[in-house]
Amino acid sequence: MPAHARSTMRPPLSVADAIETARFQVNYKGEAAFVSPDRKRYVSLVIRGDVQNDGVRMDVLAGGLGSLDSAIPRLVTSLFTRGLSHAAPIVIDPAGPSALLSPGSNVPVWINNEEIALLWEDATGHNQIFAVNVLSKTLRQLTNENTDVVDYMFGANGSLAYDVKVAYSPERSQELIRNGFAVQSPDATALLSWIVDGTSTFDLSLCKRMAAVDIEGIYRARAVPSSAIACDLSQLYLSPTTGVRPISPDGRKLLANVQVSAAPPEWSAYRGDFGGYFKDAKDSPRGLVAGGIGEFVIVDMTSGTLEPLWAAPTNTNPWSEFAWAPDSTQVLIAPTMLPLDASDPASLEGRAVAIVDVRTGSYERIPVDPDVAVNIVSADWVAPAQIELALRDGQTLAFDRIRGTWQSTAPRKQENAAAGLDGVSGTILVNLHQGMNESPRLVGTDVRKGRSRDLFDPNPELFKRFALGRVELAHWTDSGGHAWEGRLYYPAHFRQGVRYPLVIQTHGYAGKNEFSIYGQGRPAGGVPSGPGWSVYLAQPLAGRDIAVLQIGGPIDAAAGHETDFERTQSRARTLADAAEHFVGLGLVDRTKVGIMGHSSAGRDIEDALAFTDFPYAAAIAADHYDINYLQAAEYGWAHDQGMPAPFGEDLEVWLDGSPAFNVERIRTPLQLEVTSGGEANSTLLWGWEMFSRLRHLQKPVEYYVVPDIKHGGHLLQNPRQLLTLQNRALDWWLFWLASYEDPSIAKESQYRDWRALRAMHVADLSRPRPAPRSWRSTTSSD
């Protein structure tokens, strides 16, 4: 622990200050400098909130690679967005501002040596592909779709593929509402949005896949002829671990994952997660889970026609990685299910590796152990007769084509990469430098002279202006014997021997070489600075002398081999184990510990409150699914996070495992938050069962809905929405953990309501807590 306070007189970082910090837009490798094909220049994107104008700015910066002086970036153009989500009929939003601003998304793509492409809003508010010339500083629009372009990629010979959100026309539904109608689907989400013409949530999650070619500087596009295509160019092909592209090296073919609306009955033979999705898709063919049933197809980029790659479905968990052969005739897929002519467990469970001939659909299996195959995070066709597979633990598997078969060999990727450096024309390398206690900046290095210099720091005054807590990696062992790692933010005015309040945040963390104001991290999966979605508040809390632990994950692999249901149960126990660890170190006051979860981690928070015994002082569960009965009914009883449909004997599983069915054991003040929105606000029902049950039992609970919910989103970026949400969450923590109330007159009603919740809390604590009940062990047979 640090021996003395890091800061004395500087003010804490406010929510508005945090929003107006800047972040670099990074790719899946965490890189922020994107080099032109001729290696003569680079571009970087910087995102910063603009509270006064209630929006977000993206600055496009460019520099040269001939000298350290020329590498200092200059402003090419500055783009502005309100950062508000679109008012969609149903909230399934891979588009909107989060697609423009989220870390790991919308990185610049070089079209040629002068132009980059990126997504931005057009005059109608829809996301389109734009080209920016970094020399002339001109902007041109490449697509003109009437809905959002979700993602795109360029290939050789002027080829371009992109996904466009499907458009929905409400006229038929409006006619049915006027004249009366029979409900078509047990999926109530569409019904709650007054979509009654048979269009389902699944239908509205789809995209059109567009194939385009450049004809004299203008892209002529045609839709791929399929009625059901997943919006997965970003989800599958530009994942944090791969970054591979589906357009073949010759620019003539596109590998696409197409949703299968009527899966062949024989696919019921497949097992693992796919088996659960297949059963749900059969029970509800147009339900949301049906989107997990797909197949790879090969699209001709010129004609737009498509053919199935082979007779096998695409993997659901884990996703398949892939790589094209240099001659564009074959595709490496890893891991994958195989056609049913291979009936061994690995091929039926998605734990195989294969090379598929795109002309015939024939395949050759690569000898990879099934337990190893599921840990493949990227695939690379290094040379015509050499492939490499990167594993989650950092190891690399290599295979060479020797005498007609693929055989395991030693990796040579590093040798190949090193050999390629001889042809680099630029002498300057530009990298992103940062650390846990060092904000990101661009640094240039002259590789010939061995000299380096700072090029650009978007937050030069951050540490001088604000009281920030020191950050360290923390380690502990849970009650199951598993080693865990997290990121600990010390109180800014830390003193040895003083016990402080603690907030435990979940859902990912920044590692030892990454800076994060909010606690979240990982280059493509968190918001280190700038507008931060949800209520991650690490440094704003640390500046007010509340310690923050951002939980990462188990260090040992054994802790991750669980079902989703088992994972949330063990994660709930881990929260208590982490709290006890820091109480034991003398850092934390055991009576002042809060826990927070966003999205799927909100369920972890509810589990911790219902099924563990640690006396948490406060909790927040934000914009999350959980395993409540009402939510399952809304989505047509679909397979959800490891829980079966609640019928027959499986109802007992729900009664035991759903925190909403066990709210009488919850004794912690809980704030539930809704940030996702849409025309009908069906998301307001996500946490309604938990809220209404707690309220019925007179327990302290708040159900808070973000401003302008119709334009809300799961990954908020609009400053007004974030200011309101994050300041309320900050007030919540200070009220319950530090007994502090903001004296602002504007907040009088807020604190009046919270004082009433405190009275409920005191009364609740005076009553005995019910013992855990197992319905499966206590249900009588009479």
Side-chain angles (χ1 to χ4, degrees), residues 91 192 623-624 628 630-631 634-635 672-692 703-706 709-710:
V91 182
L192 293 170
D623 213 46
H624 65 295
N628 69 58
L630 178 61
Q631 192 175 91
E634 181 183 350
Y635 284 94
L672 300 167
E673 298 175 350
V674 180
T675 67
S676 294
E679 291 288 0
N681 298 333
S682 60
T683 52
L684 291 178
L685 291 182
W686 286 358
W688 190 257
E689 183 172 348
M690 174 63 70
F691 168 69
S692 62
Y703 201 48
Y704 182 71
V705 180
V706 75
I709 186 62
K710 181 181 287 190

Side-chain angles (χ1 to χ4, degrees), residues 384-708:
Q386 184 184 11
I387 58 176
E388 291 191 352
L389 305 170
L391 304 181
R392 200 175 309 278
D393 62 4
Q395 298 185 58
T396 299
L397 304 180
F399 297 86
D400 283 7
R401 188 80 172 172
I402 301 173
R403 292 185 294 276
T405 62
W406 289 96
Q407 300 179 26
S408 178
T409 57
R412 294 198 300 271
K413 184 184 293 186
Q414 292 182 344
E415 297 174 10
N416 294 339
L421 290 176
D422 292 338
V424 174
S425 59
T427 63
I428 306 300
L429 295 179
V430 178
N431 293 305
L432 189 65
H433 282 228
Q434 60 179 318
M436 285 192 296
N437 298 285
E438 179 185 7
S439 60
R441 68 190 189 281
L442 291 180
V443 174
T445 301
D446 189 320
V447 296
R448 309 287 189 202
K449 300 178 181 179
R451 294 190 318 207
S452 297
R453 65 176 290 182
D454 288 353
L455 300 175
F456 179 69
D457 183 349
N459 302 298
E461 301 295 318
L462 183 62
F463 286 92
K464 297 178 182 178
R465 290 182 57 197
F466 302 108
L468 302 179
R470 178 168 177 77
V471 188
E472 293 181 357
L473 284 184
H475 300 88
W476 68 97
T477 301
D478 67 18
S479 54
H482 301 302
W484 285 74
E485 185 175 80
R487 167 180 279 235
L488 180 64
Y489 290 73
Y490 283 93
H493 308 96
F494 174 78
R495 286 186 296 132
Q496 195 82 32
V498 176
R499 289 186 179 271
Y500 292 91
L502 171 69
V503 171
I504 302 177
Q505 299 183 159
T506 59
H507 214 49
Y509 79 123
K512 62 183 178 180
N513 296 318
E514 296 170 12
F515 177 79
S516 178
I517 282 176
Y518 297 106
Q520 263 204 327
R522 300 170 302 175
V527 181
S529 52
W533 60 62
S534 192
V535 288
Y536 296 92
L537 293 168
Q539 286 293 5
L541 285 168
R544 291 157 178 84
D545 287 336
I546 295 177
V548 177
L549 173 68
Q550 182 76 41
I551 288 186
I555 298 174
D556 55 335
H561 289 196
E562 304 165 317
T563 66
D564 288 334
F565 179 57
E566 292 169 338
R567 184 198 68 81
T568 55
Q569 295 285 307
S570 65
R571 187 68 172 243
R573 292 190 296 270
T574 295
L575 292 170
D577 295 335
E580 294 285 14
H581 173 77
F582 291 100
V583 169
L585 291 180
L587 172 65
V588 171
D589 183 336
R590 195 170 189 270
T591 67
K592 297 179 180 180
V593 176
I595 52 175
M596 170 266 171
H598 171 245
S599 192
S600 62
R603 174 180 160 190
D604 300 340
I605 302 307
E606 294 179 355
D607 278 355
L609 301 184
F611 301 123
T612 66
D613 296 325
F614 190 90
Y616 297 108
I620 294 177
D623 213 46
H624 65 295
Y625 290 100
D626 59 21
I627 50 177
N628 69 58
Y629 195 86
L630 178 61
Q631 192 175 91
E634 181 183 350
Y635 284 94
W637 311 109
H639 177 80
D640 180 46
Q641 300 188 62
M643 293 293 285
F647 299 98
E649 293 182 357
D650 287 334
L651 177 58
E652 297 173 352
V653 178
W654 275 73
L655 295 173
D656 283 347
S658 170
F661 284 150
N662 293 270
V663 293
E664 63 274 10
R665 287 183 44 78
I666 295 178
R667 299 162 69 91
T668 298
L670 173 63
Q671 185 183 81
L672 300 167
E673 298 175 350
V674 180
T675 67
S676 294
E679 291 288 0
N681 298 333
S682 60
T683 52
L684 291 178
L685 291 182
W686 286 358
W688 190 257
E689 183 172 348
M690 174 63 70
F691 168 69
S692 62
R693 285 176 179 266
L694 287 170
R695 179 58 63 89
H696 179 75
L697 295 177
Q698 292 294 296
K699 290 176 177 285
V701 61
E702 175 172 89
Y703 201 48
Y704 182 71
V705 180
V706 75
D708 198 7

